[in-house]
Amino acid sequence: MFVYQEFKQLKDVSSPVHWAMGMFDGLHVGHAAVIGAAVEGARRNGGIPAVLTFRRHPLAHVRPEEVPAAIMAADHEKFALLEEMGVEMVLSLEFSAALASMSPEEFIGELCSSCRVAEVAVGEDWHFGRDRAGDVGTLRSLGEHYGFKVTAIPAILRDGERVSSTRIREAVRLGNFPLAMRLLGRPFRWQGTVIHGRQLGRLLDYPTANMRPGTELLPPQGVYAVRARVNGTGYGGVANLGIRPTVEGEAGELLLETHLFGQPGDIYGAQMEVTPVRFLRPEAKFPSLDALKSQLALDARQAAEVLERAE
């Protein structure tokens, strides 16, 4: 998949392009419907299925204090999912002052002067251009002018409500992972690099693979039954998301510590994916390491039971 960061980089793209446009901050089932329309349009009529999106949330430019927590860890996760959806090209724009000042007409004019636009797929509530002045009606008028088709996708509903990134954030913050999965179309998960810790888990007979959560969006701190994947192998496990108050006090770094059921071997530096299945208990400070070790045994047993029932 080709990833571009400026309009001018599209000059060498000779094929007609079917664009899906949006922030796509989560790639939930509603976003997938918009992207799927562009992919299907390219398959049916010929051309390149592509996504136009932004590296930062537009609010970062005008009201940075209101930027919502990112659902995914980094662009590479977003791009990998887009490729799985059939997208062959991404234009990931920096939402700069210059871009924010463009009128809807200037924005589409810049795109159409950079490549052959065959189709633009958006959500029916899509707004674009300076002060969000452009809507689907504006886009259709511009489509008639430049000769591209406009596909507007209605909102997708789950449980009678519109799927949105806001609902996903609320579900994750409450630890409601089944709802988050129905909205995302895939499990909520953490991805990151396994890092060295204090190796206290080994002394307690519960070695852990530690990583920074990576995403700004976090469920409650505490202990979870999880499924994990590292070096191509899947594991059940039990994980603690927190600061380890028993050994670090209140100044510990927020980490995800995962005890994997099995023998993963040396995985330091490996990329690991961890999917929380169920919240087991809040993080707690224990009076001694022996008390912590006893609780870890209970946590591991409970997590194993949860995962067995979930299969």
Side-chain angles (χ1 to χ4, degrees), residues 113-132:
S113 67
S114 302
C115 65
R116 294 167 57 196
V117 179
E119 177 183 8
V120 174
V122 295
E124 64 180 4
D125 60 349
W126 168 250
H127 286 77
F128 66 104
R130 185 174 56 243
D131 298 325
R132 291 169 49 85

Side-chain angles (χ1 to χ4, degrees), residues 197-248:
R198 296 180 59 176
Q199 298 188 326
L200 182 63
R202 295 184 184 277
L203 298 178
L204 298 173
D205 298 326
Y206 288 93
T208 58
N210 303 333
M211 71 182 207
R212 296 178 179 90
T215 176
E216 300 169 357
L217 178 62
L218 296 171
Q221 291 185 24
V223 177
Y224 291 85
V226 301
R227 298 195 189 281
R229 178 164 291 275
V230 60
N231 291 335
T233 301
Y235 300 90
V238 59
N240 181 75
L241 175 68
I243 61 173
R244 304 158 308 286
T246 303
V247 295
E248 301 283 3

Side-chain angles (χ1 to χ4, degrees), residues 17-22 24 31-41 50-52 111 117-124 126 136 139 148-153:
V17 185
H18 296 255
W19 291 102
M21 289 189 187
F24 301 136
H31 297 152
V34 175
I35 294 163
V39 171
E40 174 59 23
V51 160
L52 187 155
L111 180 65
V117 179
E119 177 183 8
V120 174
V122 295
E124 64 180 4
W126 168 250
V136 170
L139 195 57
F148 61 79
K149 176 185 176 182
V150 174
T151 301
I153 303 298

